[in-house]
Amino acid sequence: SQQGEEDPQALSIQEGENATMNCSYKTSINNLQWYRQNSGRGLVHLILIRSNEREKHSGRLRVTLDTSKKSSSLLITASRAADTASYFCATDAWDSSASKIIFGSGTRLSIRP
Amino acid sequence: EAGVTQSPTHLIKTRGQQATLRCSPISGHTSVYWYQQALGLGLQFLLWYDEGEERNRGNFPPRFSGRQFPNYSSELNVNALELEDSALYLCASSLDSLNTGELFFGEGSRLTVL
């Protein structure tokens, strides 16, 4: 089962607008990461936020983490056509034996020119 | 510095055959992860290797197996292929053995089962 679930599944916005994606997860985490995937290719790491952090910025990216609600959001400001991609959150999750890094189902972002 | 490399890029097999996928991590990275991504879907965790040992595996049948070599490269074997095994198989490596750091992904191996 998925640890993280992104919302919305798909998002289409005009170039220049801001895009917000949300991620919810089920169990306690040490950190949460956001990745980007261009069509059918490998994932690229965007940002990591630790469980004791509430907000983090990197360029046009802003990530928030609310551990009480088990949720995170990724904000991309001033979107560009090149931001068109799928975005995934990933968390460390523990099962009976060991931890693993689990990805959500992703948000497909389309930027209209 | 070379990134994570995967081979082959594409692989076509028929039902019942076996497939072997290979991954070379970034130099110095000891952890290797394998994920399966069916078309248009999210990533499903398959296997995690660190320092030559299998640390965890996802909810996949035993016909999915792998290993990590002393040079930290890894291979994923899928036996008795089924049509639903058709997917992009992604390998990632990490410097961190505690699942607290960034993953670096390869471009994937696309397996098609006919």
Side-chain angles (χ1 to χ4, degrees), chain A residues 67-78:
Chain A
T67 53
S68 67
K69 295 181 179 177
K70 293 187 170 59
S71 68
S72 173
S73 67
L74 170 67
L75 169 68
I76 303 175
T77 61

Side-chain angles (χ1 to χ4, degrees), chain A residues 20-109:
Chain A
T20 299
M21 290 159 268
N22 302 296
C23 168
S24 59
Y25 55 92
K26 298 174 184 174
T27 63
S28 297
I29 61 171
N30 292 305
N31 65 70
L32 184 143
Q33 305 182 52
W34 285 91
Y35 289 80
R36 164 188 158 143
Q37 183 183 36
N38 288 344
S39 178
R41 308 213 39 199
L43 279 71
V44 174
H45 181 263
L46 294 175
I47 197 165
L48 181 152
I49 187 166
R50 304 207 181 275
S51 60
N52 61 354
E53 297 175 307
R54 291 296 168 259
E55 188 171 310
K56 204 162 182 180
H57 297 256
S58 176
R60 294 184 296 115
L61 306 180
R62 173 179 167 251
V63 168
T64 62
L65 179 63
D66 186 335
T67 53
S68 67
K69 295 181 179 177
K70 293 187 170 59
S71 68
S72 173
S73 67
L74 170 67
L75 169 68
I76 303 175
T77 61
S79 63
R80 305 167 182 170
D83 294 329
T84 294
S86 290
Y87 292 82
F88 296 88
C89 66
T91 57
D92 56 323
W94 281 82
D95 56 27
S96 57
S97 57
S99 69
K100 52 192 173 184
I101 298 177
I102 300 296
F103 284 77
S105 50
T107 292
R108 292 187 307 280
L109 175 64

